[in-house]
């Protein structure tokens, strides 16, 4: 069976995105699948002749929705239009690991070109159902990775993550430095000089630079400032998370890792419903676990409270149950691609 994968988010140099794609690649190859092409994040695929040729030669097109298809994102629309193109070529098309939130009505027509939609949270499933579309609920694919070997009983300082929002990331880093917390950005450096250049100067969006030059300079200074903080690989990142006494998560995938490591946590909401939905689906949602930016900056939080809240919610048992079900469901999904 030959596959093409859309939305290879590993180009983000992000531990969570890297884990998701590794899970996809591993599961396909373990079943004898051949990956003909992976189309990177935000790729203008209709201009990519090699990608089109790969689609022609493939049996199945997988679209990794991840956190792309929400609030009418143009990149989300690009992925949906890819589904239409692949179906015109008579390919099986699956949207997997997807978040779906607050998209315009014009997006929905493309869902008819998809053989099965796999969403990573119940909020997305409900929203699709309200528009007449069925979907299968799975966890985020990071839950297929076993991290038990990283679980540590050593507890050092509080850890705090970066955010998808650059300004908030800068403030969180300053907070970590002033409070002797460990700053743990989820992003990492690529290899060599090219990796360094992409890390520091990439990710802002070339078209945004002329109208936001001062913001771009601030972004560059921030990226330079966190080089000493980034983990060299995911193993190192997981070890740092595991050895913390608690984690303030402003990143969705860091929260996924923290849940698997069963660490106490607080969360800062991100750019979609993903954090709230994940905690609801796991069964440990509690409003008291959500912090505002000001709460973090003003030390208005207490990890003893977080531990007590999680204990009240039967944290360890619910996480274990969620992970076990997730792995079984993920296995069924990948098995289904080969039928």
């Amino acid at each position: 069976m030959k596959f093409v994968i859309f939305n290879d988010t590993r180009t983000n140099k992000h531990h969570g995105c890297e884990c998701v794609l590794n899970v996809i690649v591993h599961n396909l190859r373990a079943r004898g699948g051949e990956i003909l092409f992976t189309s990177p994040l935000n790729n203008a695929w209709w201009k990519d002749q090699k990608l089109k040729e790969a689609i022609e030669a493939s049996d199945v097109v997988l679209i990794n929705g991840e956190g792309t298809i929400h609030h009418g994102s143009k990149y989300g629309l690009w992925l949906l239009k890819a589904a239409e193109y692949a179906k015109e070529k008579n390919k099986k098309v699956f949207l997997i690991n997807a978040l779906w939130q607050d998209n315009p009505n014009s997006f929905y027509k493309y869902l008819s070109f998809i053989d099965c939609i796999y969403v990573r949270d119940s909020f997305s499933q409900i929203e699709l159902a309200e528009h007449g579309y069925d979907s299968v609920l799975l966890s985020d694919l990071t839950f297929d990775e076993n991290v038990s070997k990283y679980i540590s009983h050593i507890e050092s300082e509080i850890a705090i993550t970066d955010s998808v929002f650059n300004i908030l990331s800068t403030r969180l880093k300053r907070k970590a430095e002033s409070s002797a917390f460990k700053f743990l950005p989820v992003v990492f450096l690529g290899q060599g000089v090219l990796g360094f250049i992409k890390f520091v100067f990439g990710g802002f969006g070339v078209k945004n630079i002329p109208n936001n030059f001062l913001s771009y300079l601030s972004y560059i200074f921030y990226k330079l400032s966190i080089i000493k903080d980034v983990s060299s690989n995911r193993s190192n990142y997981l070890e740092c998370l595991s050895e913390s006494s608690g984690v303030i998560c402003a990143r969705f995938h860091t929260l996924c890792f923290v849940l698997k490591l069963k660490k106490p946590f607080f969360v800062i909401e991100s750019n979609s419903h993903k954090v709230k939905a994940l905690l609801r689906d796991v069964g440990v949602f509690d409003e008291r676990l959500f912090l505002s930016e000001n709460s973090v900056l003003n030390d208005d939080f207490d990890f003893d409270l977080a531990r007590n809240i999680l204990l009240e919610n039967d944290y360890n048992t619910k996480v274990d149950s969620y992970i076990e079900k997730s792995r079984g469901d993920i296995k069924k999904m990948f098995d289904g691609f080969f039928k």
Side-chain angles (χ1 to χ4, degrees):
M1 193 78 77
K2 297 178 180 179
F3 292 83
V4 167
I5 301 170
F6 273 84
N7 208 27
D8 182 345
T9 52
R10 287 176 295 192
T11 54
N12 263 345
K13 299 302 179 188
H14 175 302
H15 293 303
C17 297
E18 181 190 51
C19 181
V20 166
L21 264 293
N22 286 353
V23 166
I24 294 171
V25 170
H26 168 76
N27 275 280
L28 294 179
R29 289 179 174 163
R31 291 163 173 79
E34 179 183 357
I35 299 169
L36 301 182
F37 201 99
T38 62
S39 176
L41 175 74
N42 301 344
N43 182 31
W45 58 266
W46 57 93
K47 300 177 182 179
D48 193 331
Q49 189 57 39
K50 288 185 178 179
L51 171 56
K52 289 182 176 181
E53 290 170 2
I55 292 172
E56 290 277 6
S58 71
D59 301 298
V60 179
V61 171
L62 298 181
I63 299 173
N64 172 37
E66 214 161 317
T68 305
I69 314 175
H70 63 91
H71 297 97
S73 161
K74 72 173 183 179
Y75 300 118
L77 182 58
W78 290 5
L79 294 180
L80 295 172
K81 288 185 174 181
E84 179 182 27
Y85 179 83
K87 186 51 67 177
E88 287 173 352
K89 301 299 180 182
N90 297 314
K91 307 302 174 183
K92 289 183 179 180
V93 183
F94 299 96
L95 175 61
I96 65 173
N97 203 46
L99 176 148
W100 186 279
Q101 182 182 357
D102 294 339
N103 290 307
N105 290 334
S106 58
F107 275 40
Y108 284 88
K109 64 181 181 181
Y110 296 100
L111 297 179
S112 62
F113 301 108
I114 297 171
D115 292 279
C116 190
I117 302 167
Y118 293 89
V119 293
R120 68 183 190 184
D121 66 82
S122 59
F123 289 19
S124 296
Q125 187 178 49
I126 291 168
E127 191 163 330
L128 286 167
E130 288 172 347
H131 286 79
Y133 290 91
D134 293 329
S135 60
V136 178
L137 176 61
L138 296 181
S139 69
D140 184 82
L141 293 182
T142 53
F143 282 92
D144 195 49
E145 181 186 56
N146 190 333
V147 300
S148 57
K149 67 180 179 180
Y150 299 107
I151 293 177
S152 171
H153 297 293
I154 299 171
E155 290 195 349
S156 56
E157 67 268 64
I158 291 169
I160 189 166
T161 75
D162 61 338
S163 165
V164 69
F165 304 115
N166 294 325
I167 293 175
L168 178 56
S169 291
T170 301
R171 291 170 180 164
L172 294 176
K173 175 175 170 52
R174 289 174 183 162
K175 174 61 183 175
E177 290 174 340
S178 65
S179 300
F181 296 164
K182 187 169 184 62
F183 187 59
L184 283 179
V186 77
V187 293
F188 61 91
L189 274 168
Q191 294 183 342
V193 175
L194 183 59
F196 173 83
I197 291 171
K198 286 183 176 179
F199 177 82
V200 174
F201 298 99
F204 190 82
V206 174
K207 292 181 180 178
N208 297 325
I209 295 174
N211 296 325
N212 300 277
F213 187 68
L214 291 179
S215 296
Y216 182 55
L217 285 179
S218 176
Y219 171 78
I220 290 172
F221 286 129
Y222 165 72
K223 293 301 281 290
L224 287 169
S225 75
I226 67 170
I227 288 175
K228 63 181 175 58
D229 301 304
V230 298
S231 302
S232 56
N233 53 58
R234 193 162 70 259
S235 293
N236 178 248
Y237 188 70
L238 292 169
E239 287 169 358
C240 289
L241 287 174
S242 185
E243 291 175 4
S244 67
S245 57
V247 185
I248 298 174
C249 298
R251 287 280 197 172
F252 170 77
H253 276 128
T254 302
L255 178 59
C256 294
F257 295 143
V258 164
L259 289 169
K260 294 196 294 179
L261 293 166
K262 298 175 184 170
K263 302 300 295 185
F265 63 86
F266 286 104
V267 292
I268 302 173
E269 287 208 70
S270 188
N271 59 355
S272 69
H273 63 224
K274 56 192 174 185
V275 169
K276 188 170 289 185
L278 173 60
L279 296 181
R280 287 279 189 195
D281 292 343
V282 174
V284 295
F285 176 85
D286 191 301
E287 288 284 0
R288 293 172 294 172
L289 293 171
F290 286 76
L291 299 178
S292 67
E293 177 184 335
N294 286 337
S295 295
V296 176
L297 299 182
N298 296 323
D299 290 318
D300 188 15
F301 58 88
D302 180 353
F303 269 97
D304 285 337
L305 172 63
R307 291 184 185 91
N308 289 334
I309 292 169
L310 295 170
L311 188 62
E312 290 169 11
N313 282 280
D314 202 9
Y315 181 39
N316 288 358
T317 301
K318 287 182 177 176
V319 168
D320 284 340
S321 177
Y322 184 77
I323 291 172
E324 182 179 2
K325 184 178 187 307
S326 297
R327 288 177 179 159
D329 290 344
I330 290 168
K331 179 181 183 300
K332 288 178 185 177
M333 179 184 74
F334 282 104
D335 287 344
F337 297 154
F338 289 82
K339 293 179 179 177

